[in-house]
Amino acid sequence: MNDKLDFILALARERHFGRAAEACGVTQPTLSAGLKQLEKQTGVLLVNRGSRFQSFTPEGERMLEWARRIVGDTRAMHEEINSLRRGLSGRLRIAAIPTALAMVALLTTPYRVRHPNVQFTILSRTSIEILGLLENLEIDAGITYLDNEPLGRVNAIPLYHERYRLLTSAEAPLGNREQVTWAEVAQVPLCLLTPDMQNRRIIDRLLRAAGGESRPTLESDSMILLFSHVRTGRWASVMPAKLAETLGLTDTLRAIPIVEPEATQTVGLVVPSREPMMQITAALVEEAKRAAPTLDN
Amino acid sequence: MNDKLDFILALARERHFGRAAEACGVTQPTLSAGLKQLEKQTGVLLVNRGSRFQSFTPEGERMLEWARRIVGDTRAMHEEINSLRRGLSGRLRIAAIPTALAMVALLTTPYRVRHPNVQFTILSRTSIEILGLLENLEIDAGITYLDNEPLGRVNAIPLYHERYRLLTSAEAPLGNREQVTWAEVAQVPLCLLTPDMQNRRIIDRLLRAAGGESRPTLESDSMILLFSHVRTGRWASVMPAKLAETLGLTDTLRAIPIVEPEATQTVGLVVPSREPMMQITAALVEEAKRAAPTLDN
DNA sequence: ATGGAACGATAGAATTCATCTATCAATATG
DNA sequence: CATATTGATAGATGAATTCTATCGTTCCAT
């Protein structure tokens, strides 16, 4: 009867019977029947439905909470038993904000040395999406901003402080400066992430605080796209220092510190706060604690 | 697949396939098949068996840990969903040490006023057994000594301090005293609990510390039996003050404080330390916290 | 209004899965 | 050495799950 809990988790994710069924690898009538069975067993309506999925009832919400925990524990159990047999193995699912993607390798590389049988899935997501995925057990860990959004029921391990650089060609206006102010940056046409990204919202906030306005010439949800534009020498962008370094600077491409204020954002690892942790996740937390001191130059 | 976890819990309790099967309400082959299925699924041997149950493998022990948690959470989930519908209901299973049995009513009575639909099962057990039952989810809460045994993964709520009285007829030797010493008590023939009870071991320890020896004339595992003997006026016993009061004193039956030292033992409620608690258990904890200040005169 | 698409519920058939009874082999016990 | 106990195995039965196919609503665009 406990495997039906997968159904209600999937339904919470998809908010759609058909898609939830597909996600569970069953047909839609099967999922419908499973939910109906849960409802019959508890004697309570779990889902408000009228020709389509509407919402969970309060009882459904509570069951959802428990289901997350129980399903998570069940997975953790199997994972741990497996580990006892042949060391840490399985697939570690991570989601990171785009600006942090470049540094994920600094965690995964030493991780892989220690635990060669673990496979990785790494997704690029917004900070909000990351928290949702964590909540729904669709990922094991996230890398995101720790300061702004309320994080929910997760453990956070700070990794480094994001510092901002104006990324621009040496020939462009401001291109020869040792540092620039946010007020000056506000005057430059920029390539920035789309507004659903927290990085963009942070930069917008800093620009506004400096009396400027954010009117980016170009928006994208891909850092690679932004960077490739800047690299032509005809565009400019604001990027975290670490990312700019990773992507590579040239003589003509400069990353100029932005001051007044010298803003920083804490970026860190977030994992579900469950006791005990899945070993595969615990090992990542270990790696993060090991790496953190060396990251923050 | 998750309902098979019941099997391994039962097997841990009974250490016997047949009895475990009976406890689960299935036949022995069913339980055997269920375990074999778990082993096939995880690919690990869980139980060492050679013509009979021997032990769990390390992997089995780990799965046992998880199974306790998962099964407990599953129960808690159903219980909570039920509560949302028609208030707190279900059966609250408590085990208490014999000397604390009399005061259980001080918790259950106000509990019942607040939650009339909850039924009770109350068992008399030794302190050791109580911890085992808690561990195996066979009871929801225990009432036992908090000071001595290591408690394990439980939350403890102190209720009161047990103080000791010599229970004896007024005509007997020492019967006219306002207080007696442990050394004096050691000289009297006593009715005491059997040595598997912690209360007995505590008293033995106190008697020995006073230079005496414990040679009780009569042993029993039932407080009622002890008390009924004392009541005849021809026997004496050492009992917690609270218990003596509850059972009722008469002109000829006196409860004399024992000093040098004036020993006390903390008695309290213990519940599984799981987050969140089952509501039915949480309500008992509330009751305990409410009652505790008024209990310790 | 009306036709069509999307969504979830329902019915009935096929099949898988769990459980039972009966029995066996191995081991412990006297 | 005889017997009882314990857990594994085999085959039959029955229950439960899942599937395919279809239906009734609702929503939306024409």
Side-chain angles (χ1 to χ4, degrees):
Chain A
M1 181 56 54
N2 238 336
D3 25 345
K4 307 293 194 315
L5 293 181
D6 278 326
F7 291 175
I8 137 168
L9 287 189
L11 188 58
R13 282 199 297 272
E14 308 285 349
R15 306 183 68 80
H16 183 289
F17 279 65
R19 282 195 294 277
E22 193 183 7
C24 294
V26 298
T27 58
Q28 171 261 318
T30 300
L31 186 129
S32 281
L35 279 170
K36 189 154 291 184
Q37 195 175 344
L38 278 179
E39 291 184 332
K40 185 176 176 184
Q41 196 186 22
T42 59
V44 190
L45 203 67
L46 297 173
V47 179
N48 294 317
R49 14 146 129 67
S51 96
R52 65 182 54 227
F53 177 88
Q54 287 177 331
S55 63
F56 287 96
T57 63
E59 291 86 355
E61 293 283 355
R62 293 303 304 141
M63 178 168 282
L64 205 51
E65 281 286 301
W66 282 105
R68 287 194 227 285
R69 164 189 280 257
I70 293 169
V71 170
D73 282 350
T74 305
R75 280 191 205 162
M77 176 178 71
H78 285 112
E79 189 256 341
E80 180 175 329
I81 303 287
N82 257 324
S83 304
L84 284 180
R85 229 192 345 162
R86 48 173 182 244
L88 226 43
S89 67
R91 178 168 294 275
L92 184 61
R93 300 159 303 168
I94 307 173
I97 52 175
T99 50
L101 278 174
M103 64 73 53
V104 175
L106 303 180
L107 293 182
T108 50
T109 306
Y111 190 112
R112 188 173 149 69
V113 172
R114 253 178 277 271
H115 310 293
N117 294 321
V118 174
Q119 301 177 291
F120 298 92
T121 297
I122 300 163
L123 305 174
S124 169
R125 291 295 140 91
T126 71
S127 55
I128 309 247
E129 286 170 341
I130 288 174
L131 296 179
L133 291 170
L134 266 183
E135 184 79 3
N136 281 318
L137 302 174
E138 291 177 82
I139 55 175
D140 304 304
I143 294 173
T144 183
Y145 296 109
L146 302 185
D147 301 324
N148 306 347
E149 321 276 350
L151 288 175
R153 229 191 341 290
V154 298
N155 289 339
I157 299 95
L159 280 171
Y160 65 94
H161 294 281
E162 205 176 70
R163 287 164 220 284
Y164 298 97
R165 299 283 183 270
L166 174 65
L167 206 64
T168 187
S169 136
E171 287 85 46
L174 301 178
N176 57 340
R177 302 278 291 278
E178 280 316 302
Q179 59 180 41
V180 297
T181 66
W182 284 101
E184 289 169 323
V185 170
Q187 304 308 316
V188 179
L190 295 170
C191 308
L192 293 179
L193 285 173
T194 46
D196 56 329
M197 303 286 183
Q198 191 173 164
N199 173 267
R200 165 67 180 279
R201 296 200 298 276
I202 291 168
I203 291 173
D204 282 359
R205 202 189 311 142
L206 287 163
L207 290 171
R208 268 199 309 278
E213 199 181 346
S214 172
R215 276 179 293 97
T217 316
L218 185 150
E219 282 183 352
S220 169
D221 61 349
S222 156
M223 290 306 296
I224 290 294
L225 185 131
L226 296 184
F227 186 75
S228 60
H229 275 76
V230 173
R231 194 153 231 181
T232 64
R234 321 292 287 252
W235 309 72
S237 181
V238 174
M239 282 193 188
K242 211 156 284 298
L243 180 60
E245 289 162 19
T246 307
L247 292 175
L249 300 173
T250 62
D251 298 349
T252 56
L253 188 62
R254 301 195 54 219
I256 306 168
I258 311 178
V259 297
E260 295 177 28
E262 194 161 356
T264 70
Q265 289 286 325
T266 313
V267 171
L269 187 72
V270 289
V271 297
S273 75
R274 259 191 316 108
E275 209 48 52
M277 243 179 260
M278 288 188 32
Q279 297 197 336
I280 210 172
T281 308
L284 186 65
V285 169
E286 281 314 301
E287 218 54 73
K289 286 180 178 161
R290 229 186 309 263
T294 74
L295 285 176
D296 231 342
N297 41 11
Chain B
M1 181 56 53
N2 240 336
D3 24 344
K4 308 291 195 317
L5 293 181
D6 278 326
F7 292 175
I8 141 168
L9 287 188
L11 187 59
R13 282 199 299 272
E14 309 286 350
R15 305 184 66 80
H16 184 289
F17 279 65
R19 283 196 293 278
E22 192 183 8
C24 294
V26 298
T27 58
Q28 171 263 316
T30 301
L31 186 128
S32 281
L35 279 171
K36 188 153 294 186
Q37 196 174 342
L38 278 179
E39 291 184 332
K40 184 175 175 185
Q41 196 186 22
T42 58
V44 191
L45 202 67
L46 296 172
V47 179
N48 295 316
R49 10 138 124 78
S51 95
R52 67 181 54 226
F53 177 89
Q54 287 178 331
S55 63
F56 287 96
T57 63
E59 291 86 353
E61 294 284 355
R62 293 304 305 140
M63 178 170 281
L64 205 52
E65 282 287 300
W66 283 105
R68 285 194 229 283
R69 164 192 281 256
I70 292 169
V71 169
D73 282 351
T74 305
R75 282 192 204 160
M77 176 178 72
H78 284 112
E79 190 255 342
E80 179 176 331
I81 303 287
N82 258 324
S83 304
L84 285 179
R85 231 196 338 167
R86 47 175 184 245
L88 227 43
S89 68
R91 179 168 296 274
L92 183 60
R93 300 159 303 169
I94 306 173
I97 53 176
T99 50
L101 279 174
M103 63 75 51
V104 175
L106 302 179
L107 292 181
T108 50
T109 307
Y111 190 113
R112 190 174 147 68
V113 171
R114 253 178 278 271
H115 311 292
N117 294 321
V118 174
Q119 301 178 293
F120 298 93
T121 296
I122 300 163
L123 306 173
S124 170
R125 293 293 143 92
T126 70
S127 53
I128 309 245
E129 287 170 340
I130 288 175
L131 296 180
L133 291 170
L134 265 184
E135 184 79 2
N136 282 317
L137 302 175
E138 291 178 81
I139 56 174
D140 303 305
I143 295 173
T144 183
Y145 295 109
L146 302 186
D147 301 324
N148 305 348
E149 320 276 350
L151 289 175
R153 232 189 341 288
V154 297
N155 289 338
I157 299 95
L159 280 169
Y160 65 94
H161 294 280
E162 204 176 72
R163 287 163 219 283
Y164 297 99
R165 300 282 184 271
L166 174 65
L167 206 63
T168 187
S169 136
E171 287 87 44
L174 300 178
N176 58 339
R177 302 277 290 277
E178 280 316 302
Q179 57 180 44
V180 297
T181 67
W182 284 100
E184 290 170 323
V185 171
Q187 305 306 317
V188 179
L190 295 170
C191 308
L192 293 179
L193 285 173
T194 46
D196 55 329
M197 303 285 183
Q198 190 171 165
N199 174 265
R200 165 69 179 277
R201 295 200 299 276
I202 290 167
I203 291 172
D204 282 0
R205 202 188 312 142
L206 288 163
L207 289 171
R208 268 200 308 279
E213 201 181 344
S214 172
R215 277 180 291 97
T217 317
L218 187 150
E219 282 182 352
S220 170
D221 62 350
S222 156
M223 290 305 297
I224 290 294
L225 185 129
L226 297 185
F227 186 75
S228 61
H229 276 77
V230 173
R231 193 155 232 178
T232 64
R234 321 292 287 251
W235 308 72
S237 182
V238 174
M239 282 194 189
K242 213 157 282 298
L243 179 61
E245 289 163 18
T246 307
L247 292 175
L249 300 173
T250 62
D251 297 350
T252 58
L253 189 61
R254 299 195 54 217
I256 306 169
I258 312 179
V259 296
E260 295 176 26
E262 194 162 355
T264 69
Q265 288 286 327
T266 312
V267 171
L269 187 71
V270 288
V271 297
S273 74
R274 259 195 312 108
E275 210 47 53
M277 244 178 259
M278 286 187 35
Q279 297 198 336
I280 211 172
T281 308
L284 186 66
V285 170
E286 281 312 301
E287 216 57 72
K289 286 181 178 161
R290 232 187 308 265
T294 74
L295 285 176
D296 231 342
N297 42 12

